[in-house]
Structures are given as C-alpha cells and as structure tokens.
Amino acid sequence: MAIKPTIPKGTRDFSSEEIFKRNYIKNILVSSFEIFGYEPVETPSFEKTETLMGQYGDEGDRLIFKIINSGEKVKKADLNSFEKEDYEKFSRSISEKALRYDLTVPFARYVSQNQNKITFPFKRYQIQPVWRADRPQHGRFQEFFQCDADIIGNRSLWQEIEMILLYDEVFSRLNLKGVKIRINHRKILSNICSLLEISDRFNEFTAVFDKIDKIGIDGAIKEFEIKKFPQKAINKINSLFKFSGTTIEKLKFIEKIFKDYKSDKSGLDEISFVLKYLDKTQLIASTVDFDFSLARGLNYYTGMIIEVSPPPAIKIGSIGGGGRYDNLTSKFGLKNISGIGISFGFERIYHVIESLKLFPEKIKKNTEVLFLNFGNDIINNIHNEINKLRKNNISCELYPSNDKLKKQLSYANKKAIKYVVIIGPEEFKEKKCIIKNMISGEQLSFPLKELYLKLKEMLKV
Amino acid sequence: MAIKPTIPKGTRDFSSEEIFKRNYIKNILVSSFEIFGYEPVETPSFEKTETLMGQYGDEGDRLIFKIINSGEKVKKADLNSFEKEDYEKFSRSISEKALRYDLTVPFARYVSQNQNKITFPFKRYQIQPVWRADRPQHGRFQEFFQCDADIIGNRSLWQEIEMILLYDEVFSRLNLKGVKIRINHRKILSNICSLLEISDRFNEFTAVFDKIDKIGIDGAIKEFEIKKFPQKAINKINSLFKFSGTTIEKLKFIEKIFKDYKSDKSGLDEISFVLKYLDKTQLIASTVDFDFSLARGLNYYTGMIIEVSPPPAIKIGSIGGGGRYDNLTSKFGLKNISGIGISFGFERIYHVIESLKLFPEKIKKNTEVLFLNFGNDIINNIHNEINKLRKNNISCELYPSNDKLKKQLSYANKKAIKYVVIIGPEEFKEKKCIIKNMISGEQLSFPLKELYLKLKEMLKV
C-alpha cells in the first residue's frame, strides 16, 4: 500500500528558488558578520536534555523536542509518572537528547566547554535551524533558522554601539530602508519598578511590557489590575508610560524622575553614551529610538536591550532583538562573564524582503546551455564539447534521450535555459552547430569548433 | 548547581577553522553540481515516522532517531508492548516524527509529493545533515552531512556517464588525484546468481559481496559456507571471482560466460556503452574500472552501480557511491519512474583532504584590521574610520576597552590579525595614525585621512 507523501505540519520543503533567496539573505548576514570581525561556530542539532531543560521556563521546556532513547535505554521509562499523567516527567525519563531550541544556550555551553581554547572577547556568529513544538500556524514553523551574533568576555559599551551598526549594515546591504531600532536598559526598568515599589514583581512587570506592542498601555494597565498590582503603582505606570516625545525628551523625562527620587542612573548613562555616539553617525537603513517601555521577554538580560521592527508598511512584529547579559554561562560553571548578543529573525526578514520585492531579479542560477539530443552516434562525438564548457564554468546539460524536438525545447523553456545548442545530422555532417536563443528565438549557425568562444561571448563569462 | 558543559557522544561542535574547511568542500560540490545543471532542494530535518520506517531494513529502523510526541500525545503509549519488552513498538507508539536518516527517502517523498510541479527529468542536489543512532566510534558520527545528486524520470545511459564525469569534476576541483571509480551492474550480478542457481538468495549474495573489500573472496566463501549456500555454487563463485585482469579482460570473461549460458546480456551492454565512452575521454582525477564483484548493500538498485575509493595511500573505505534505481518512488504511489543517484561521503572526503594536506593554505578569513583602544575620547572621534573601512568591505574590529597595549596586541596575535591601527593621544593630536604589520613588525606613520587608501593598498582590496 502506498504511503501518502506529506511532511509534518510546521515543516517545509525548500525548492531551488527558495534556497537561492534564502542564500542571498544568508550570504549578506555572513559577510556583514565577518566585516565586523565575528567568526562562525556551529553546534550539534541535539544537545543533552539536561543542557536545555530549565533554561527557557516551563512553557519553553514543553516546546523542546525530545528524542527517544535508542534500543534498550527506553527500559528506564518512568511508568509511575505516566500513570499520574505527568507526561512531561515520563517523556524525560526516556530521553537523554533534545533538539536545539535556540542558539543562545548551546553557545553558552560552547563557551563554557571551550573556555581554555577561546580568545576573549570572543565574537561569534551562528546561523542554524532550531526546533520548537509550537502549534504550527501561518508564518510560525516547527523548524526555522536563527542567526545570532554575540560578543562575550567584555563590558565595553562600544559593543552596544557596534551591535546597532551591525543591524544597520545588514539591512542596508539588503536594501531594506526604514527599519526602526528601539533601545532601553534593564536597569532603567528595574529602577522604575523600585520607584513603584514593585521590585519583587520585576519579571511579571517585564512580561506584561513585552506584549505592549500588541496590547498597548491600556491593555497593560488591565493586565496589571488582573494581576492585582498595587493601585498606586498602576496609577503611576499609567502616567509614566503615557509620556510621549522624542528620544531626547524621553531621556530628559526619565533623568528628571531618577534625579527626583535619587535613583541609580548608570543604566541611563549607558543609554545616553550609546545615543550620543549614534546621534553624530549616519545610519543608512535605520533610525534609533530610546523607548523606556521596551522590556524583552527573556530574563537573562541585564543591560541594554534592543528590538528591531521592519518598515511600518509591514505588519509582522519584530525582525530582530537582543541585549547584554551577565550570567548566561554561570549555569555551566563559568561565572562573571558579561556578553552581548543580537538575533536576526531570518524567516521574518525573508518575508519582509519578499513582500517589498527586494530580492534581486536574477537570483536563481539556471542552467545556461542545453545540448539537444539527436541520438547516441552524434552525442558520442560531440560530448567532449559539453565537458569543455563545464571545465570553463559554463553550466550545461545534455538532454538525456533522443525525444521529439518539441519535448526537448519545452524542457529548455520550463527550466528557463537561455541557450540551446542544436547539432542535428546535417550540422554534424558539416561540422557545424546552431545556437538558439530561447528568449529572442534567434538562431545562429557557425563551425562547431567555435562553439565555446561564441557561448563565452554570449554569456560574457 | 552547575551543569557540566558537554555534548552528546557522536556529535561535534565546529570551530571557525573547521567551518571554513567544510565550506571549501561544500562550495566545490555546489559549483560542480550547478555546472552539471542540478538544482538544490532541501527537506525538513524530521519526516513523519511512517515515511522513514521500513525503508532501511530492520537494522536501519533501529538506528532512526524518533522524536517523542509533545504534550498529551504521549498518552497513546503502548504499555502492552513495553511489558512484552518490544521497545521498538513501544517507541513507535509515542512518536509521529523521526529525524532524517538519509537524503534518498526524503527525496523520493519530495518527488512524489511535487510530481505535478516538477519538470522531468529532474536533476536535484541536496547537502544536509542526517542522523543515525549508530554506536559512536572513531570517525563515525550520529550527526553527519550527506551530499546527493540524482536525476529522476529518464533511463538514458548518458546519465550513467555524466555521474562518473561529475565525480571526476568534483575530485579534480578538490585537487584530489588518484581516485578509483569502480562500476558494475545489478543485472550482471543477478545473471550470475541465476547461473549459479541461487536467484532466490540474491539479497544474501549481494550482502556478502558488499563486504568483499574487507573480507576478501576467501572470507566471502567462508560466509557462504556458514549460510549453507549449495557447495556447487560456492565452488563456482570461487573460480569466477578469483578471476583478475584489466577491465577489457573482465568484460570479455563475463561476456563469454553469458554467451555460453545464453544469459540476458543487457546489463553487460550498458556497462560496455559507458566504458566505451569513458575510454576515449580524459578523466583528470580518477580512473574507472569494471568490477563484477561490486555489489552495493542497498537493495533498491536495479541498474549500474558505482563505488568510489580514495587514493590507495588513504585507508578509509569508499568516499562515494550510487547507482540506478527503478522503484524508489513507488512506495509513495509514483510508479514506473527510473532514476540514478550518487552520493559524496562528505565527512570522509574531509578526512582525505585533511590527511593529504589539500586544503588551501589561507582558508580561514581572519579580521584584517584591529583598531587599538586608547579611550573613549579618541574612539568617539575616530570610530567613523572603522565604519568607512567596513563599508568598503575591509573587515575590522575595535578592541573594545582601554586595556594595556600588550593585552590588546596579544589579542591581535591570537586572532592572527595582520594589521593593527594605532591612534594614541599623540597621533590623535597630530591627526596621524600608525599601521603596524603584526607579521613583519614594521610600522608606518602617516596622516589619518590617508588610512583607508593605505590599507586598501596593503590589503589589495
């Protein structure tokens, strides 16, 4: 019985055209990373389950794909948990390996494991697929690419600045103008929490603010009410975060508040340093704003945080983000090492470039030349011409069998092959050949021995 | 408590140097494939379990990594099988997805699924990782790359010929000379079995012959005795397969036998056609031999089979193989479609190129220029020079903090950065800069505004 050929929900096959488009973006990322002095690292598709579990919160843990132990090793299945309907614990009892959920934890593991071999500050980039058991829906996949650039082992604010320059470099090489980069600092958020006397609820506070793009400040207020935040704090949040103005106005606004309340202003100073440099630097594809409502969902950030949105015409959420973290490697025993990292949302960037028609027109490499097939006798004698073209980097194919001319030409058309070489019995007898331009329909006849030079001229190799 | 940073056995992290080396090989494969008119396809890392299971034999099934169903879906666990210690069945009851085991089955699934969109004959290449739960040992990994090129939808023997030319193209671009390509035909083997009156044991016969490189003909004879093949057949095997000679002598030897026994000689004719063309064609990196003891382990082959060995100095088994198949897609409901495919053993080819020191000397892209850091005041004023170099594709880094000069220079040395730009307080005051060549130690001083042009000249950008 035949099996229906389908793929799991949330996964994709990629055709050649999609691969060329994806490589176009990937190559721009790679060359930008390398221009900035990052070097590539790759990690295995699966890590030990213990490396990944507990790093992404309960919800994250549930979304990690676990691999069943092979052979006899499933014997260890915790049937007790199964009966108690603790399926999470049951699954973990028969799984020692799990698929990479992001690139950050494997990177932290890599740095800790190779700390004696690595030159710090260590600048690495990584472009690899990750897997999440998210419910598949439009534009959300179970397998997708992540692209990260991190610098670990130094606290200099020039790294914050260069991360923003790197974003601008990538988007300008992609010809994607109008990108909006917002920055904030976790210390500014924690100072605000402290002023509001809700420091103990900092993670809840940032989790609500992480959704503010979708729910707005009014939606956030409602959530704080549901979560029973003190009414006094909620009122202050309302007045604070309804403030709008330019980056400079917002900086002054926060500065005054911190001054009034004698708050630590180191976070604000760092943001000011970054903004001051950027103010006198010409960014090409993007603008940078200070946004003290920016929170980022991940709790490991400790310094500046960044989020990148596409031009306003495209409604798709963020296409990148990142920030400074101080304790990412401490789980693996490597303590007191600060780093900063940013991510490029590969799949979303692809969507934006596609929507705005920013892919170069000729992105797919088609076969350049097709040799028609008039039977083995002729091919046996002229196949060396094909070899010669290939040795000279002209891509060509021999139509494999002596089918009707119409069928052979239709193959050339479907594959968008521009030049067809015709050496039929007559041409062969006269040591001639014909090149047919499949776009113009034009045909040129000349001695076979001139074939390579003629094609070279036509293709401008 | 800290988690020990390690990776699962049989997996690997790749450092930047390894990635550049792997990309070197990958780029040669890609450009060769494209010169021959193949287009890329990529498939998801996991397929539906039913797509993969039963395609690789019992041993293969056991080596497929299965992914545990998420959340509630593990409820379906077949505890009955667990109690009966049928762990294979138990595992399958909680797994709907499995990691790609090779590229062939996903390709057959892809062709069947997209048959209405594809132009046949369809030439595709695919370079992606595959995963196998093999016991990890030296040189054998649980995650490794496969590279396949297939043509599906046509029976022309020119495809057999071009597969061999493709091997030669790749190995000559890799500068790997002395590669040995052996070919045979499944019909020749099945005719021999028929002459020996052991047709019903064809798969056992090929399985033994598949190991002949390791065990020799005497080892094979022993295995046939253990497997209780008829003594008459064993005696004939012994005399047949001890024949040695040139390709032409072997062709004549088989031809005579087939003639004496009035066997179908279509397989032999196909091999002769291929060899006749190759005989008058200059191969650069390889030689081609007819070897009627070549069997290939996989049962889906129906026509010519190929196996590629590295130069004799490297003892590592085959570095490639393939053959023609007729029924690969029939499991997915697409019948009567012939194809031919070859594989490049990526990890082994890497090993060979490494062992023979054939990687180009300058393969790793290092940062070209490092700007030393003499504090924020200076950097604030000269950072635009860094931006300018990057815009002109010169890779450069700013040393992030104002550390001691020795530490900064040591960073340049460790990262093999050739040029260091020094703009200390004095240079800054005089609007000058110094370029230090870290290899020769030479230092050049000149006006800051000439920096880009000087570096461009030095780097020959």
Side-chain angles (χ1 to χ4, degrees):
Chain A
M1 203 187 64
I3 295 163
K4 201 177 165 218
T6 55
I7 50 177
K9 272 184 194 163
T11 66
R12 294 164 291 174
D13 286 321
F14 294 115
S15 68
S16 62
E17 177 154 344
E18 288 163 324
I19 291 170
F20 285 116
K21 285 179 174 174
R22 294 173 74 83
N23 284 346
Y24 166 76
I25 296 175
K26 192 182 159 184
N27 291 340
I28 283 177
L29 285 163
V30 165
S31 58
S32 305
F33 293 152
E34 290 177 358
I35 286 296
F36 274 69
Y38 293 83
E39 54 183 69
V41 159
E42 289 179 10
T43 62
S45 295
F46 44 72
E47 295 272 348
K48 289 184 173 175
T49 308
E50 70 214 52
T51 299
L52 303 186
M53 300 305 281
Q55 303 263 33
Y56 307 103
D58 286 349
E59 178 61 9
D61 278 1
R62 266 193 296 277
L63 299 183
I64 292 172
F65 281 115
K66 295 158 199 85
I67 295 168
I68 305 180
N69 293 340
S70 306
E72 296 284 295
K73 276 190 172 178
V74 286
K75 261 189 188 168
K76 292 188 285 181
D78 177 1
L79 297 184
N80 207 11
S81 295
F82 185 83
E83 273 155 32
K84 284 184 192 154
E85 300 188 4
D86 186 349
Y87 299 122
E88 190 60 31
K89 202 170 169 200
F90 167 71
S91 297
R92 284 166 71 167
S93 72
I94 48 171
S95 164
E96 290 177 352
K97 297 180 185 118
L99 289 178
R100 188 166 55 215
Y101 179 86
D102 71 359
L103 303 178
T104 308
V105 172
F107 173 60
R109 191 267 309 145
Y110 179 90
V111 169
S112 309
Q113 188 174 342
N114 296 287
Q115 55 186 284
N116 298 323
K117 286 186 240 164
I118 287 173
T119 303
F120 291 100
F122 181 49
K123 301 177 82 166
R124 89 84 174 77
Y125 72 87
Q126 190 169 355
I127 305 179
Q128 288 192 283
V130 301
W131 296 270
R132 293 183 187 179
D134 253 325
R135 191 169 307 166
Q137 56 187 51
H138 183 71
R140 193 193 280 174
F141 305 103
Q142 295 202 333
E143 173 176 45
F144 57 97
F145 271 74
Q146 282 201 338
C147 313
D148 283 15
D150 287 78
I151 313 175
I152 198 159
N154 190 289
R155 285 175 197 278
S156 161
L157 285 174
W158 286 103
Q159 296 170 335
E160 271 77 348
I161 289 169
E162 291 210 342
M163 286 294 176
I164 291 166
L165 296 176
L166 176 56
Y167 269 131
D168 192 61
E169 184 74 34
V170 168
F171 294 121
S172 69
R173 283 175 190 238
L174 286 168
N175 278 315
L176 179 62
K177 305 276 170 76
V179 168
K180 203 173 153 187
I181 300 175
R182 290 174 301 142
I183 61 173
N184 193 14
H185 200 292
R186 295 285 280 198
K187 276 192 192 160
I188 293 177
L189 288 173
S190 69
N191 282 350
I192 290 174
C193 274
S194 155
L195 296 181
L196 302 173
E197 292 169 3
I198 50 167
S199 288
D200 52 329
R201 303 183 76 175
F202 182 61
N203 286 347
E204 277 177 277
F205 174 81
T206 54
V208 171
F209 265 90
D210 191 40
K211 294 184 285 184
I212 208 157
D213 277 352
K214 288 179 204 142
I215 60 177
I217 181 70
D218 292 330
I221 296 296
K222 260 182 215 147
E223 282 222 24
F224 286 125
E225 279 165 355
I226 292 164
K227 286 176 191 292
K228 298 203 188 311
F229 271 60
Q231 194 55 48
K232 208 175 103 191
I234 295 178
N235 293 343
K236 276 195 188 163
I237 289 173
N238 200 15
S239 68
L240 260 175
F241 288 94
K242 279 205 169 149
F243 180 87
S244 78
T246 63
T247 284
I248 289 176
E249 286 162 358
K250 279 184 277 185
L251 280 173
K252 282 192 177 152
F253 175 69
I254 293 293
E255 200 177 1
K256 183 171 181 315
I257 292 168
F258 284 6
K259 205 172 170 185
D260 291 351
Y261 289 86
K262 297 194 174 73
S263 277
D264 160 57
K265 58 191 260 302
S266 59
L268 196 62
D269 286 345
E270 290 190 15
I271 286 289
S272 301
F273 180 86
V274 170
L275 286 167
K276 201 173 153 192
Y277 172 80
L278 291 171
D279 193 44
K280 64 187 178 74
T281 304
Q282 179 102 44
L283 296 184
I284 292 167
S286 46
T287 52
V288 179
D289 278 319
F290 169 55
D291 176 359
F292 60 88
S293 75
L294 176 69
R296 303 280 303 154
L298 296 163
N299 290 329
Y300 52 68
Y301 292 121
T302 51
M304 186 182 90
I305 47 181
I306 320 172
E307 201 155 285
V308 183
S309 315
I314 309 287
K315 308 284 174 225
I316 199 186
S318 80
I319 55 172
R324 180 169 289 280
Y325 45 82
D326 279 328
N327 299 304
L328 210 58
T329 55
S330 62
K331 282 184 179 150
F332 301 104
L334 182 62
K335 286 184 182 156
N336 296 322
I337 183 158
S338 182
I340 180 169
I342 58 172
S343 225
F344 290 80
F346 189 87
E347 312 293 343
R348 287 187 174 181
I349 291 172
Y350 183 100
H351 174 83
V352 172
I353 301 294
E354 183 79 305
S355 303
L356 296 174
K357 298 187 175 29
L358 295 176
F359 282 114
E361 215 168 295
K362 247 200 81 56
I363 202 159
K364 191 181 161 185
K365 283 184 223 153
N366 295 310
T367 299
E368 292 165 306
V369 180
L370 177 73
F371 280 71
L372 298 194
N373 190 323
F374 290 85
N376 287 345
D377 283 350
I378 296 176
I379 302 301
N380 242 315
N381 282 288
I382 58 114
H383 194 280
N384 59 330
E385 296 292 334
I386 299 177
N387 296 339
K388 189 176 169 188
L389 297 183
R390 287 175 176 159
K391 291 276 169 249
N392 288 286
N393 288 314
I394 295 173
S395 67
C396 55
E397 292 183 50
L398 164 68
Y399 190 87
S401 46
N402 185 2
D403 288 339
K404 282 190 182 142
L405 212 60
K406 201 181 148 187
K407 195 175 172 190
Q408 299 195 38
L409 289 170
S410 151
Y411 177 82
N413 274 328
K414 281 185 191 155
K415 285 196 71 175
I417 300 173
K418 191 170 176 190
Y419 295 108
V420 161
V421 173
I422 302 168
I423 307 171
E426 261 173 63
E427 286 81 20
F428 181 64
K429 214 188 300 167
E430 292 168 28
K431 292 184 179 168
K432 282 191 162 180
C433 67
I434 294 169
I435 298 180
K436 182 182 166 88
N437 180 322
M438 294 296 285
I439 296 166
S440 68
E442 197 185 3
Q443 298 201 165
L444 262 176
S445 173
F446 47 82
L448 180 56
K449 62 180 180 195
E450 289 172 21
L451 179 62
Y452 164 60
L453 288 175
K454 287 279 172 196
L455 279 170
K456 194 178 156 181
E457 200 185 297
M458 289 173 179
L459 290 160
K460 297 178 189 73
V461 182
Chain B
M1 202 187 65
I3 295 162
K4 200 177 166 217
T6 56
I7 48 177
K9 273 186 193 163
T11 67
R12 294 166 289 174
D13 286 321
F14 294 114
S15 69
S16 62
E17 178 155 344
E18 287 163 326
I19 291 170
F20 285 115
K21 285 179 173 175
R22 295 173 74 82
N23 283 346
Y24 166 76
I25 296 175
K26 191 180 159 185
N27 291 340
I28 283 177
L29 284 163
V30 166
S31 58
S32 305
F33 292 152
E34 290 177 356
I35 285 296
F36 273 69
Y38 292 84
E39 54 184 67
V41 158
E42 288 178 8
T43 62
S45 294
F46 44 72
E47 296 271 347
K48 291 184 171 174
T49 309
E50 69 213 54
T51 299
L52 303 185
M53 299 305 279
Q55 304 262 34
Y56 308 103
D58 286 350
E59 177 61 9
D61 278 0
R62 265 193 296 277
L63 299 183
I64 292 172
F65 281 116
K66 294 159 200 84
I67 295 168
I68 304 180
N69 292 340
S70 306
E72 295 284 295
K73 276 190 173 179
V74 286
K75 262 189 187 168
K76 291 189 285 179
D78 177 1
L79 297 183
N80 207 12
S81 296
F82 185 83
E83 273 154 33
K84 286 182 191 154
E85 299 189 5
D86 185 348
Y87 298 122
E88 189 59 33
K89 202 172 167 198
F90 168 71
S91 296
R92 283 166 69 167
S93 73
I94 50 171
S95 163
E96 290 176 352
K97 297 179 186 118
L99 289 178
R100 189 167 53 215
Y101 178 86
D102 71 359
L103 303 178
T104 309
V105 172
F107 173 59
R109 192 268 309 147
Y110 178 88
V111 170
S112 309
Q113 189 175 340
N114 296 287
Q115 53 186 285
N116 298 323
K117 284 186 241 165
I118 287 173
T119 304
F120 291 99
F122 181 50
K123 301 177 82 168
R124 88 86 175 77
Y125 73 86
Q126 190 170 354
I127 305 178
Q128 288 192 283
V130 300
W131 296 270
R132 295 183 185 178
D134 254 324
R135 190 169 309 165
Q137 55 187 52
H138 183 69
R140 193 194 279 176
F141 305 103
Q142 295 203 332
E143 173 175 46
F144 58 96
F145 270 74
Q146 282 201 338
C147 312
D148 283 16
D150 288 79
I151 313 175
I152 198 160
N154 189 288
R155 286 175 196 279
S156 161
L157 285 174
W158 286 103
Q159 296 171 335
E160 270 76 348
I161 289 169
E162 292 210 340
M163 286 295 176
I164 291 167
L165 296 175
L166 177 56
Y167 269 131
D168 192 62
E169 185 73 35
V170 168
F171 294 121
S172 68
R173 284 175 190 238
L174 285 169
N175 278 316
L176 178 63
K177 304 278 170 74
V179 168
K180 204 173 151 187
I181 300 175
R182 289 174 302 141
I183 60 172
N184 193 12
H185 200 293
R186 295 287 278 199
K187 276 192 191 160
I188 293 176
L189 288 173
S190 68
N191 282 350
I192 290 175
C193 275
S194 155
L195 296 180
L196 303 173
E197 292 170 1
I198 50 167
S199 288
D200 53 328
R201 304 183 75 175
F202 181 61
N203 286 347
E204 276 177 277
F205 174 82
T206 55
V208 172
F209 265 90
D210 192 39
K211 296 185 285 186
I212 208 158
D213 277 353
K214 288 179 207 144
I215 61 177
I217 180 67
D218 292 331
I221 295 296
K222 260 183 216 148
E223 282 223 23
F224 287 125
E225 278 164 355
I226 291 164
K227 285 175 189 294
K228 299 203 189 307
F229 271 59
Q231 194 56 47
K232 209 176 100 190
I234 295 178
N235 293 344
K236 277 192 188 163
I237 290 173
N238 199 18
S239 68
L240 259 176
F241 289 93
K242 280 203 169 148
F243 180 87
S244 77
T246 63
T247 282
I248 289 176
E249 286 162 354
K250 279 185 277 185
L251 280 173
K252 281 189 179 156
F253 175 69
I254 294 293
E255 198 177 3
K256 184 174 178 316
I257 292 168
F258 284 6
K259 206 173 169 184
D260 291 350
Y261 288 86
K262 297 193 174 71
S263 276
D264 159 58
K265 58 191 260 302
S266 58
L268 195 62
D269 286 346
E270 291 191 12
I271 287 289
S272 300
F273 180 86
V274 170
L275 286 167
K276 202 174 152 191
Y277 172 80
L278 292 171
D279 193 43
K280 63 187 178 73
T281 304
Q282 181 100 45
L283 296 184
I284 293 167
S286 46
T287 54
V288 179
D289 279 319
F290 169 54
D291 176 0
F292 59 88
S293 75
L294 177 68
R296 302 281 300 153
L298 295 164
N299 290 330
Y300 52 68
Y301 292 121
T302 51
M304 186 181 92
I305 46 180
I306 320 172
E307 202 156 285
V308 183
S309 314
I314 310 287
K315 308 284 174 226
I316 199 187
S318 81
I319 55 173
R324 180 169 288 279
Y325 44 82
D326 279 328
N327 299 303
L328 210 58
T329 54
S330 62
K331 282 184 179 149
F332 300 105
L334 181 62
K335 287 182 182 158
N336 296 320
I337 184 159
S338 182
I340 180 168
I342 58 172
S343 225
F344 290 79
F346 188 88
E347 311 293 343
R348 286 187 174 180
I349 291 171
Y350 183 100
H351 174 81
V352 172
I353 301 295
E354 183 78 304
S355 302
L356 295 175
K357 298 187 174 33
L358 295 177
F359 282 114
E361 214 167 297
K362 246 202 81 56
I363 203 159
K364 192 182 160 185
K365 284 185 225 154
N366 295 311
T367 299
E368 291 165 308
V369 180
L370 176 73
F371 280 72
L372 297 195
N373 190 324
F374 290 85
N376 288 344
D377 284 349
I378 296 177
I379 301 301
N380 241 317
N381 283 288
I382 58 116
H383 194 280
N384 58 331
E385 295 292 335
I386 298 178
N387 296 339
K388 188 176 170 188
L389 296 182
R390 287 175 176 160
K391 292 276 170 248
N392 287 287
N393 289 313
I394 294 173
S395 68
C396 56
E397 292 182 49
L398 164 69
Y399 190 86
S401 46
N402 187 0
D403 287 339
K404 281 190 182 145
L405 212 59
K406 200 179 151 190
K407 193 173 173 192
Q408 298 195 39
L409 289 170
S410 150
Y411 176 83
N413 274 329
K414 281 187 192 154
K415 285 196 70 174
I417 299 173
K418 191 169 175 190
Y419 295 108
V420 161
V421 173
I422 302 168
I423 307 170
E426 263 174 63
E427 286 81 22
F428 181 64
K429 214 189 299 166
E430 292 169 27
K431 294 184 179 167
K432 282 189 163 184
C433 67
I434 295 169
I435 298 180
K436 181 181 167 89
N437 180 323
M438 293 297 286
I439 296 166
S440 68
E442 198 185 2
Q443 296 199 166
L444 262 175
S445 172
F446 47 83
L448 181 56
K449 63 181 178 193
E450 289 172 22
L451 178 62
Y452 164 60
L453 288 174
K454 287 279 174 198
L455 278 170
K456 193 179 156 181
E457 199 184 298
M458 290 173 177
L459 290 160
K460 295 181 189 73
V461 182

